[in-house]
Amino acid sequence: MKKRALAALTVLCVASTQTAFAATTETTVALSDDKILVNGKEITEDETNAVYLDYKNETHSDVPEELADLENRVITITDGGTYIFSGTATDAQIAVRAEDSDDVRVVLNGVDITCRTAAAIQVYSGSDPRTEGEYGVTIEIADGSENVVNGSHTKKTDEDDIKHDAAISSNISLGFEGNGNLTVNGDIEGIEVKYGHLTFNGGNITIHSNDDPINGSEDGVAVVTINDGYIFSSVTNDTQYEGDGLDSNGYIKINGGTAINLAHPYSMDSGIDSDCGSYINGGIVVGAGNMYDPIEEDSEQLYMLLQFSESTDDLIVVTDEKDNPVFAYDFPYSYTYIAFSTPELEEGTYHVYMGGEIEGVEKDGLYTEITSCTGGTQLHHGGAVTSEKGFGGQRPEGMEPPEGMHKGERPADGQLPADFEERMKEEFEKRGEEMPADFMEKLENGEMPDGRQSGGMGGGSRQMASSSDTITEEFRLSKDSNTFTNVSSVVNASAFTDVAKDAWYYNAVTSVASKGILTGATETTFAPSATMTRGEALEAVYALAGKPAAGEASFSDIDAKDSYYAAAAWAEKNGILTDIAEGKLAADTKVTREELVQMLYNYLGGEAEGTLDNKFTDADKVTAENAFAWALDSNIISGNQESLRPTALVTKAEAAIMLTNAYK
């Protein structure tokens, strides 16, 4: 991990358009494994030509033994101009070695190139304005084209004193343009600029790598700018656990386009990570990781940063105050820190949901043009800041993952494999070290072993202050309030001052409150002895069902603005209120035990039939005999000694027990 150092900076970010020279010459280069054609003629090894063929054998220590004698074919560009590449080639590299005054445009027009021992596209030299957002070397992705670049890495050599880690690596500022598709696969990084700036002005780019997919490397100088295009970057590493989704040793400025940046799901890295400041000024942005790396508050576009108390790999939906969806993303891996921004975000109150059903246009997990969104568990934030327990820390650098884990998977249920401690000891021994005595204890508690800080090596901890003193479901977004802590669906009953830990209903209250089936009377009280209305009971059963699409209700005494309207519409459509209500709902009527049992039976019991045991002295008062027999047989209720109390009013504590049993 790099040392993170936040620098105070006041910047007006203006989307810069590249100033690359509009080349007057166009050269076509057709790739194949048999031969390479330049303007229709076979390429030569004449170094005086604008494009010539070279051969290079990479001999660094990372080259596998079976590739030690491999010679890559290097298509070398030496003059300014436009070079249009097409075709497929393996063990080949496109290299730019132009003069400092030369502007070079490399057009990818149906290219599939693989280099197994070095970068597949390597820019050594060319024009470089050394101004953020500007560049002299351009990679253009031709409109409508499909392109794949598979690359490796190299170490420093006498010939080149720069270590190249990416499939596309540049020693100078580099820009991307066009409207075609490009997939980049890197065995370490995806796209990097070693010195200068990296700018995206177009292209539909997907990047998969084993470390940072995008990296601006020059310390304190590099500016990674995204003005337009679509970028999806993801770290998928089955050999070691590290990698930010979008990384800069200087600054990050996102002014437009779409940028989805996913860190390694099993390391203490960030979706969007910069040493000097990250700014979101426009576009659609998603960043996910397991480390807190802040977005600058003077960004021009509003954003939300969510710190989850437990990592999530589920669908997250954010709605406005009227529950209209403004953001939805289905995360492929588990993360604890999720940042997002869209032009639709305005100052106001939002709600956040996990799971549910959604319809819209989906790409790489991001939903746009959403037509419907139903169900889902409503999340809250605030209270004490917590961190996920279990395997949450960064592994010692260079260590192998436990056997059976691949591509950043978390262990099932957050538990470590049985042989994990033994494997860790072996890994330490390989490095000539002894595993610290408290290593496993710290790891299990979500702490960073070896004195590491979760905010990066050095630079101090980046612990977040609580977003609210009390737990609340209202996410109030403003320029000064955009970070929300302890986001979760879990509400422990200990948060309610009127629910004692030794109360018979404590666990049930925790269960239903966590799942959003029953809510507290206030943020700090549950009111376990309060009796429930029919409307409240119906809302609880509706929540138990996952709040499916409801439609319209025909009850004459309810209004679409009522909190229980959707529940009533769903219940009417699915026969939940059979034998309870018809024509009018009478939502404010106190609900009896028999009515709640009947609702649960209508939802879960189907056509089950049964009879009541004669031991119940009030069995003759039961009108819903099948429902009660089913509830007893299913352990929804147990009966109070010798009575069923069908006409007794239901308290919230009793409802919590019944709903918890029904959920099981």
Side-chain angles (χ1 to χ4, degrees):
M1 296 287 292
K2 305 178 306 301
K3 179 177 180 180
R4 270 88 172 171
L6 290 178
L9 181 67
T10 303
V11 179
L12 176 63
C13 239
V14 179
S16 301
T17 56
Q18 65 89 24
T19 58
F21 166 72
T24 58
T25 61
E26 285 191 358
T27 301
T28 62
V29 182
L31 305 176
S32 75
D33 287 332
D34 295 329
K35 58 185 176 181
I36 297 169
L37 302 179
V38 177
N39 290 333
K41 297 180 180 180
E42 190 164 354
I43 193 171
T44 72
E45 298 179 32
D46 185 351
E47 296 182 11
T48 64
N49 290 337
V51 185
Y52 72 92
L53 182 64
D54 194 8
Y55 294 90
K56 189 173 183 181
N57 171 240
E58 301 293 347
T59 59
H60 58 86
S61 58
D62 285 356
V63 175
E65 183 177 351
E66 64 272 18
L67 301 178
D69 297 326
L70 176 69
E71 280 193 327
N72 292 316
R73 294 178 298 162
V74 182
I75 302 96
T76 305
I77 297 170
T78 61
D79 286 347
T82 297
Y83 300 84
I84 305 172
F85 284 79
S86 62
T88 300
T90 301
D91 299 324
Q93 180 187 76
I94 299 170
V96 177
R97 293 183 180 272
E99 297 295 329
D100 293 345
S101 58
D102 287 339
D103 292 331
V104 176
R105 179 175 293 267
V106 175
V107 181
L108 304 180
N109 188 20
V111 168
D112 189 336
I113 186 170
T114 297
C115 189
R116 294 183 287 171
T117 59
I121 300 178
Q122 177 66 63
V123 178
Y124 292 101
S125 57
S127 173
D128 187 353
R130 294 290 294 179
T131 300
E132 67 174 83
E134 298 184 8
Y135 43 89
V137 177
T138 306
I139 294 179
E140 179 182 339
I141 309 165
D143 292 1
S145 66
E146 297 286 342
N147 305 275
V148 179
V149 174
N150 302 310
S152 185
H153 62 282
T154 58
K155 295 188 175 182
K156 294 181 180 181
T157 64
D158 293 337
E159 178 189 3
D160 183 10
D161 193 35
I162 299 176
K163 177 175 178 282
H164 299 288
D165 290 324
I168 300 178
S169 181
S170 179
N171 292 355
I172 60 175
S173 296
L174 181 65
F176 285 80
E177 299 179 3
N179 294 306
N181 299 315
L182 170 63
T183 298
V184 180
N185 299 303
D187 68 357
I188 293 187
E189 295 184 346
I191 299 173
E192 68 173 352
V193 166
K194 306 302 289 191
Y195 296 99
H197 310 292
L198 176 58
T199 305
F200 295 90
N201 280 322
N204 299 303
I205 305 173
T206 298
I207 311 166
H208 297 292
S209 62
N210 289 337
D211 203 335
D212 304 334
I214 301 172
N215 190 2
S217 299
E218 189 170 2
D219 291 340
V221 174
V223 180
V224 177
T225 303
I226 300 174
N227 292 321
D228 202 356
Y230 179 95
I231 299 171
F232 174 80
S233 63
S234 175
V235 184
T236 52
N237 187 337
D238 59 2
T239 58
Q240 60 185 21
Y241 300 149
E242 60 182 320
D244 299 303
L246 169 59
D247 183 60
S248 175
N249 292 5
Y251 305 88
I252 293 172
K253 299 179 181 180
I254 303 174
N255 303 316
T258 297
I260 302 172
N261 310 111
L262 308 180
H264 197 296
Y266 204 43
S267 70
M268 298 300 289
D269 287 291
S270 178
I272 301 172
D273 175 37
S274 68
D275 285 0
C276 301
S278 299
Y279 298 83
I280 299 177
N281 302 311
I284 299 174
V285 182
V286 180
N290 296 307
M291 187 190 75
Y292 171 47
D293 200 85
I295 308 296
E296 297 303 309
E297 291 187 358
D298 53 348
S299 295
E300 295 177 7
Q301 182 168 286
L302 285 173
Y303 63 88
M304 292 180 72
L305 175 59
L306 309 178
Q307 178 256 334
F308 286 79
S309 60
E310 297 177 323
S311 60
T312 179
D313 61 354
D314 213 331
L315 171 68
I316 299 297
V317 179
V318 179
T319 68
D320 62 18
E321 199 164 12
K322 296 181 180 179
D323 272 344
N324 298 311
V326 297
F327 171 80
Y329 192 84
D330 194 353
F331 289 88
Y333 306 108
S334 289
Y335 297 105
T336 51
Y337 292 91
I338 293 172
F340 72 91
S341 178
T342 80
E344 295 182 45
L345 284 180
E346 300 176 348
E347 292 193 346
T349 300
Y350 292 86
H351 301 139
V352 180
Y353 298 88
M354 179 186 296
E357 297 180 2
I358 189 169
E359 293 183 6
V361 178
E362 185 271 336
K363 182 178 180 180
D364 295 321
L366 177 67
Y367 283 86
T368 57
E369 301 178 31
I370 299 171
T371 56
S372 70
C373 181
T374 58
T377 300
Q378 187 165 6
L379 307 182
H380 54 72
H381 71 97
V385 178
T386 61
S387 61
E388 181 186 16
K389 300 298 182 183
F391 193 73
Q394 181 188 20
R395 294 168 46 76
E397 185 176 355
M399 284 193 173
E400 298 297 318
E403 187 174 359
M405 293 186 195
H406 301 286
K407 295 187 181 298
E409 294 177 341
R410 290 179 180 272
D413 302 322
Q415 300 299 312
L416 300 178
D419 64 345
F420 185 84
E421 182 173 1
E422 206 55 44
R423 289 180 58 79
M424 287 295 96
K425 288 179 180 179
E426 292 175 1
E427 294 292 345
F428 273 101
E429 289 174 1
K430 290 178 183 177
R431 300 165 64 204
E433 301 176 14
E434 183 177 349
M435 189 173 83
D438 61 351
F439 182 87
M440 291 300 298
E441 180 182 355
K442 287 185 176 181
L443 211 55
E444 291 286 0
N445 290 330
E447 301 175 31
M448 295 296 291
D450 295 330
R452 291 181 174 86
Q453 298 280 345
S454 63
M457 296 177 64
S461 173
R462 293 185 178 182
Q463 179 67 31
M464 302 169 69
S466 178
S467 54
S468 174
D469 292 336
T470 57
I471 294 173
T472 176
E473 293 177 342
E474 293 187 343
F475 291 71
R476 296 176 180 173
L477 177 65
S478 69
K479 188 77 172 177
D480 301 320
S481 177
N482 43 39
T483 300
F484 302 92
T485 60
N486 205 25
V487 177
S488 176
S489 63
V490 177
V491 179
N492 194 291
S494 61
F496 298 125
T497 58
D498 57 352
V499 179
K501 287 190 175 181
D502 58 355
W504 54 271
Y505 46 79
Y506 178 87
N507 290 335
V509 169
T510 295
S511 176
V512 294
S514 298
K515 298 174 177 64
I517 297 172
L518 281 180
T519 59
T522 68
E523 291 179 351
T524 58
T525 61
F526 184 74
S529 299
T531 54
M532 297 180 65
T533 66
R534 182 178 290 172
E536 290 171 336
L538 192 57
E539 283 187 278
V541 177
Y542 181 52
L544 179 70
K547 297 183 179 180
E552 296 182 357
S554 64
F555 292 109
S556 62
D557 59 344
I558 67 173
D559 188 271
K561 296 180 181 178
D562 293 330
S563 63
Y564 45 78
Y565 182 86
W570 167 78
E572 187 178 17
K573 180 180 179 181
N574 293 279
I576 307 302
L577 293 172
T578 300
D579 299 328
I580 299 174
E582 186 176 352
K584 291 186 177 182
L585 180 61
D588 293 332
T589 302
K590 293 293 184 179
V591 72
T592 64
R593 281 170 56 85
E594 183 169 71
E595 285 185 350
L596 182 53
V597 166
Q598 182 74 59
M599 289 183 195
L600 293 172
Y601 172 74
N602 290 341
Y603 170 49
L604 297 171
E607 299 179 357
E609 297 182 0
T611 56
L612 296 175
D613 195 309
N614 291 331
K615 73 174 184 177
F616 297 112
T617 58
D618 54 358
D620 59 333
K621 297 180 180 179
V622 174
T623 58
E625 185 173 8
N626 285 337
F628 260 99
W630 165 82
L632 287 165
D633 186 58
S634 303
N635 294 316
I636 306 296
I637 60 174
S638 59
N640 180 17
Q641 297 178 348
E642 297 180 353
S643 64
L644 294 171
R645 301 182 299 119
T647 60
L649 301 182
V650 176
T651 67
K652 288 186 71 178
E654 291 175 319
I657 293 289
M658 295 168 68
L659 291 162
T660 297
N661 291 339
Y663 185 84
K664 295 176 181 178

